[in-house]
Amino acid sequence: MKRIFGAKNNKEPPPSIQDASDRINKRGESVEDKVKRLDAELCKYKDQIKRTRPGPAQEAIKARAMRVLKQKKMYEGQRDMLYNQTFNLDQVSFAAEGLKDAQQTMTALKSANKELKGMMKTVKIQDIDNLQDEMMDLMDVSSEIQDSLGRSYNVPDDIDEDDLMGELDALEADMGNETEADGVPSYLQPDTEPDLDEGLDLPPPPTGRTQTTGAQPGRAQAEDEWGLPAVPRASLRG
């Protein structure tokens, strides 16, 4: 069958832009090296022309230098052409990369658009509004509950402005008295009222030892167990 129809030729894939750019860059580097070698030869011929006298020898050196200069110009033209080709390939590569990026972006946007449409089917604006209204009602009920629980018991509500000012004046007077006493509260200050016992002429309290009239000053009278003067035993016998 291969003899009749022939075998299928396996063609190589076409080179990519990067492969072509690399190949041209290598050629450009090779041409650049040749230009540098020709520059070195021209410098050498220039020194020889300066050292030789005008004549046939100098003319021969100039002819060789002219031939080298022509080669240099040719290589420089090739180098410039290769650089232009590389520049064109770079532009095409940048454009291709930009198209690939745009394609990926479009694919991502389509996928995101499909996901958003699916999500929007499950979310409705009316449901969100109803949820917000329910939350507002719940917050109002919670505030009413807090206000109800925070009420005080047995607190008079008939206090007017005059009562308030009177209470504040009394409080200010008490604080003024405390300030005059070097910051000591009134209930801690010493008692300044006169002692009523000082105005009365009261006898001193008993000391537990009494001295009878007519007793000898140097002898203390005996006392019983209750602190009273003891009765002599002779009087008890009589």
Side-chain angles (χ1 to χ4, degrees):
M1 297 296 291
K2 292 182 179 180
R3 293 179 181 178
I4 297 173
F5 297 101
K8 185 178 179 180
N9 295 328
N10 294 326
K11 294 182 180 180
E12 295 181 357
S16 63
I17 296 176
Q18 187 65 35
D19 295 337
S21 179
D22 294 339
R23 183 170 178 273
I24 292 174
N25 286 330
K26 289 180 180 179
R27 289 181 58 192
E29 292 175 358
S30 177
V31 173
E32 183 68 25
D33 293 336
K34 292 179 180 181
V35 170
K36 290 180 180 179
R37 288 198 300 268
L38 294 176
D39 287 336
E41 291 183 8
L42 287 176
C43 291
K44 183 177 65 175
Y45 291 147
K46 182 180 179 180
D47 294 336
Q48 291 178 1
I49 291 172
K50 288 181 179 180
R51 289 196 299 268
T52 57
R53 296 178 181 180
Q58 190 179 31
E59 293 297 331
I61 295 173
K62 287 181 179 180
R64 290 195 296 270
M66 185 63 67
R67 185 174 62 253
V68 172
L69 181 59
K70 289 179 180 181
Q71 291 178 357
K72 176 186 175 183
K73 294 297 182 182
M74 181 186 66
Y75 286 134
E76 287 179 348
Q78 292 180 359
R79 181 190 61 186
D80 295 339
M81 181 183 64
L82 292 173
Y83 285 162
N84 290 332
Q85 292 179 4
T86 303
F87 178 72
N88 294 332
L89 289 174
D90 290 339
Q91 286 184 333
V92 174
S93 178
F94 292 154
E97 292 294 333
L99 290 175
K100 289 181 180 180
D101 294 339
Q103 186 178 5
Q104 292 178 357
T105 303
M106 287 297 297
T107 303
L109 288 176
K110 288 180 180 179
S111 178
N113 188 17
K114 184 177 180 180
E115 292 180 0
L116 286 175
K117 287 181 179 180
M119 295 172 63
M120 291 301 295
K121 291 180 180 179
T122 59
V123 179
K124 296 181 180 180
I125 301 298
Q126 187 64 33
D127 295 338
I128 296 176
D129 293 337
N130 294 334
L131 181 61
Q132 292 291 338
D133 294 338
E134 291 179 1
M135 291 298 296
M136 292 296 294
D137 295 338
L138 291 175
M139 294 301 294
D140 293 338
V141 173
S142 177
S143 298
E144 293 179 0
I145 292 174
Q146 296 296 329
D147 294 339
S148 178
L149 293 176
R151 290 184 300 176
S152 300
Y153 301 102
N154 297 328
V155 177
D157 296 332
D158 55 349
I159 300 176
D160 55 3
E161 186 175 356
D162 295 335
D163 296 335
L164 175 62
M165 296 304 297
E167 187 70 22
L168 293 177
D169 292 339
L171 180 62
E172 184 179 2
D174 292 341
M175 294 179 65
N177 294 331
E178 294 178 1
T179 305
E180 292 178 357
D182 295 333
V184 180
S186 58
Y187 59 86
L188 296 179
Q189 295 180 8
D191 190 6
T192 57
E193 296 182 359
D195 192 0
L196 297 178
D197 294 338
E198 294 180 357
L200 300 176
D201 189 8
L202 297 176
T207 59
R209 296 175 178 269
T210 57
Q211 184 175 1
T212 58
T213 304
Q216 295 181 3
R219 297 177 60 185
Q221 187 177 3
E223 296 176 355
D224 59 5
E225 56 183 351
W226 292 283
L228 298 176
V231 179
R233 293 181 179 181
S235 61
L236 292 176
R237 293 175 182 178

